[in-house]
Amino acid sequence: MKVVEKFVSINGEGLRAGELAVFIRFKGCNLSCSYCDTTWANEADCDFEELTPLQIFEYIKSTNIRNVTLTGGEPLLQKDIDKLIELILADGNLRVEIETNGSVDISKFKADGLTFTMDYKLPSSGCEDKMNLDNFTFLKKKDTVKFVSGSTDDLNKALDIIRKYDLINKCHVYFSPVFGKIDPREIVDFMVDNNLNDARVQIQMHKVIWDPNQKGV
């Protein structure tokens, strides 16, 4: 498995924002979003460690951190991701979240204890046509759909998707601003105007605490 970063920090977003987590970042993505903040991890010449699922699991255990975030790039593209998930969940003391871009089929990943934070790529991303809409069928209450929004058009499209797939009753729903592209107050006003009860707006905490371009946080 191609690992470009492994480190301990806090979750900057998602259901466990502010909690400690051990991050495993994998190389490579099948999308190229306009606002991607980890493009370096998708470059062909990006340095990486070739690690087995067992080696990654042993690193995770060595940190004594319970929350595990598998990210990228796109972690579901990794050949042995299913084996790594199996190892982590078999431990019993670990909680694993997969950050996935919404284009890869999640239906085969059904293990209890596995949590998805899945993007829906809105128009400003340039990748909306790559979304796998069947994934909405497989989301569970503990999963999250994240709408990274950079414009009013993005917000309106997110609302259409939320209503069409009844997402607020199916899973957690988050709005996150494209960093530096939209005033978060605009998202809050949009939620108020549309009575979006039980949806949440979330700022990427790690970009406030550290430099927005800093790695390993």
Side-chain angles (χ1 to χ4, degrees):
M1 305 181 80
K2 298 178 179 179
V3 177
V4 296
E5 279 190 312
K6 56 185 194 297
F7 59 92
V8 172
S9 184
I10 58 163
N11 266 316
E13 53 193 326
L15 291 176
R16 295 192 175 276
E19 293 187 17
L20 290 175
V22 52
F23 289 81
I24 309 296
R25 185 181 304 283
F26 295 101
K27 177 178 178 176
C29 188
N30 58 324
L31 302 184
S32 183
C33 296
S34 63
Y35 52 75
C36 181
D37 54 7
T38 54
T39 53
W40 61 270
N42 306 329
E43 299 294 337
D45 60 354
C46 174
D47 290 336
F48 65 91
E49 290 183 271
E50 189 74 51
L51 299 176
T52 66
L54 181 58
Q55 287 172 321
I56 296 171
F57 174 72
E58 288 173 343
Y59 166 74
I60 291 168
K61 289 298 291 180
S62 74
T63 67
N64 293 315
I65 302 297
R66 290 192 66 193
N67 295 325
V68 181
T69 299
L70 306 180
T71 188
E74 173 49 61
L76 296 183
L77 296 177
Q78 293 294 313
K79 177 175 174 289
D80 289 330
I81 193 69
D82 53 336
K83 296 176 184 176
L84 177 59
I85 293 168
E86 203 174 300
L87 279 171
I88 295 170
L89 292 179
D91 178 81
N93 191 50
L94 299 173
R95 298 180 290 232
V96 59
E97 171 193 12
I98 294 183
E99 295 184 339
T100 184
N101 65 25
S103 71
V104 181
D105 181 11
I106 67 169
S107 63
K108 63 181 179 179
F109 302 99
K110 299 176 182 178
D112 290 339
L114 179 62
T115 301
F116 283 105
T117 296
M118 188 182 81
D119 282 6
Y120 181 89
K121 303 298 184 185
L122 295 167
S124 71
S125 72
C127 294
E128 188 181 11
D129 62 330
K130 304 296 194 301
M131 293 297 91
N132 184 336
L133 299 178
D134 289 341
N135 281 339
F136 290 132
T137 304
F138 304 103
L139 294 173
K140 302 180 287 294
K141 275 286 187 183
K142 63 186 177 181
D143 296 324
T144 299
V145 174
K146 182 176 68 175
F147 294 96
V148 180
S149 307
S151 68
T152 301
D153 286 346
D154 280 354
L155 294 173
N156 286 325
K157 185 54 184 284
L159 182 62
D160 289 344
I161 295 296
I162 289 167
R163 288 175 172 170
K164 181 176 181 179
Y165 294 96
D166 193 26
L167 292 182
I168 288 177
N169 291 315
K170 185 173 291 185
C171 61
H172 301 280
V173 173
Y174 279 51
F175 287 90
S176 182
V178 177
F179 193 80
K181 292 294 184 182
I182 189 172
D183 189 330
R185 288 174 293 187
E186 185 176 339
I187 299 178
V188 175
D189 290 342
F190 181 84
M191 291 169 65
V192 171
D193 291 343
N194 291 281
N195 298 310
L196 280 170
N197 293 297
D198 298 322
R200 303 178 187 181
V201 62
Q202 189 171 73
I203 309 298
Q204 291 176 295
M205 193 182 302
H206 53 290
K207 291 187 177 180
V208 176
I209 298 174
W210 295 282
D211 184 291
N213 297 312
Q214 187 168 333
K215 298 179 182 179
V217 295

